[in-house]
């Protein structure tokens, strides 16, 4: 009995996902429609990409609260630059901005020894403020056919952004499983002192994961903007909470050292499916926030149970 419960807890992420898919069938007759499934996948993309970047930060024992603000800043920068410099230069500039903001957070955490919560909270405020300043607080509409078509287009029945998410997930999994970088990131989260004594430049790896998280936010910010054709300074408000929730629901430990790319992707899909079911049932957004908070608490409690057994 005890072993069975422990096994269930170990694979709880997949069990919960299957349970949500079954619940969706009984709670709404529209849940398994092609249109709805497509919408769930499309809406999962920005959260999925940001969550994969967040996973690497959390694996080191850190946290990144600036992800939503970076997405907003990038969407505004890209929307402003497209008319004058063209699509690709604008996207490149957006990626540079996102990586720079992430690097600043990484520098504060790694080299100035500021707590990740404080450093990324400061970058969250700065990035959101910059987005509001450069956009003058107004949404910026993008009049570029290729830009909008990407966000609304399909290939072989799947939305184009889903392919970006799949590629991003495979890359993140490869780095996690097959590279020294991935193994050392886990090592830092598991035992930073021992890793440091082994001669590993811990600060460089911590700096790198925040820079990568920033870059992931840049990709997510561009994709989110293509869905609406608007660069918005209020894009992705409170998105950091969803990303943290997805990683934790995916079984990662907030203490660092434990978490996988596959389960994080499942965690993203769980949150997306829950939101979708509640939308189909016309449950208010306020109650949805409560439900998400309860999910985070349950995930942390379950993670604590697994750590003790």
């Amino acid at each position: 009995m005890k072993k069975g419960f422990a096994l269930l807890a170990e694979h709880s992420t997949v069990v919960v996902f299957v349970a949500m898919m079954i619940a969706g069938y009984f709670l709404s007759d529209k849940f398994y429609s092609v249109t709805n499934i497509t919408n769930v996948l499309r809406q999962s993309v920005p959260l999925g990409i940001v969550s994969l970047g967040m996973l690497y930060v959390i694996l080191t024992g850190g946290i990144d609260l600036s992800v939503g603000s970076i997405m907003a800043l990038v969407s505004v920068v890209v929307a402003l630059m497209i008319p004058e410099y063209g699509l690709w230069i604008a996207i490149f500039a957006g990626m540079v901005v996102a990586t720079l903001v992430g690097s600043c957070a990484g520098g504060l955490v790694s080299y100035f020894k500021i707590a990740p919560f404080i450093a990324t909270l400061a970058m969250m405020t700065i990035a959101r403020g910059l987005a509001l300043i450069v956009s003058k607080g107004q949404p910026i509409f993008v009049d570029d056919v290729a830009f909008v078509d990407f966000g609304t287009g399909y290939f072989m029945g799947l939305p184009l952004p889903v392919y970006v998410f799949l590629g991003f997930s495979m890359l993140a999994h490869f780095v996690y499983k097959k590279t020294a970088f991935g193994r050392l990131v886990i090592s830092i989260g598991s035992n930073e002192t021992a890793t440091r004594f082994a001669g590993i430049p811990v600060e460089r790896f911590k700096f790198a994961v925040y820079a990568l998280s920033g870059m992931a936010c840049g990709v997510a910010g561009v994709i989110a903007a293509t869905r609406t054709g608007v660069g918005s300074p209020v894009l992705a408000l409170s998105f950091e909470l969803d990303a943290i929730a997805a990683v934790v629901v995916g079984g990662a430990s907030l203490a660092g050292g434990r978490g996988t790319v596959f389960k994080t992707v499942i965690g993203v899909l769980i949150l997306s499916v829950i939101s979708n079911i509640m939308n189909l049932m016309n449950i208010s957004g306020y109650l949805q926030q409560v439900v998400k908070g309860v999910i985070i608490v349950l995930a942390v409690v379950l993670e604590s149970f697994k750590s003790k057994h």
Side-chain angles (χ1 to χ4, degrees), residues 187-256:
S187 175
I188 291 170
S190 300
N191 193 329
E192 182 174 333
T193 303
T195 307
R196 194 184 301 279
F197 282 148
I200 304 301
V202 171
E203 285 75 17
R204 291 185 196 174
F205 284 88
K206 283 191 171 183
F207 177 86
V209 295
Y210 284 93
L212 289 174
S213 176
M215 187 180 70
C217 295
V219 176
V222 172
I223 290 177
T226 62
R227 284 179 54 196
T228 57
V230 176
S232 172
V234 293
L235 176 72
L237 285 170
S238 301
F239 210 68
E240 56 279 356
L241 299 181
D242 288 345
I244 294 168
V247 176
V248 173
V249 170
S253 169
L254 288 174

Side-chain angles (χ1 to χ4, degrees), residues 1-17:
M1 182 70 179
K2 189 175 181 180
K3 286 185 178 179
F5 189 72
L7 184 65
L8 188 64
E10 182 63 30
H11 300 286
S12 57
T13 305
V14 177
V15 173
V16 170
F17 178 65

Side-chain angles (χ1 to χ4, degrees), residues 234-286:
V234 293
L235 176 72
L237 285 170
S238 301
F239 210 68
E240 56 279 356
L241 299 181
D242 288 345
I244 294 168
V247 176
V248 173
V249 170
S253 169
L254 288 174
R258 186 162 60 193
T260 68
V261 171
F262 173 72
K263 288 187 176 179
T264 298
V265 172
I266 298 297
V268 170
L269 293 176
I270 288 173
L271 287 189
S272 298
V273 168
I274 289 173
S275 295
N276 180 254
I277 290 174
M278 289 192 290
N279 285 332
L280 291 174
M281 296 175 68
N282 294 319
I283 295 175
S284 73
Y286 302 129

Side-chain angles (χ1 to χ4, degrees), residues 46 50 70-72 74-75 95 147 216-226 235:
V50 170
I70 296 176
M71 286 176 63
V74 169
S75 75
M95 293 300 103
F147 186 79
C217 295
V219 176
V222 172
I223 290 177
T226 62
L235 176 72

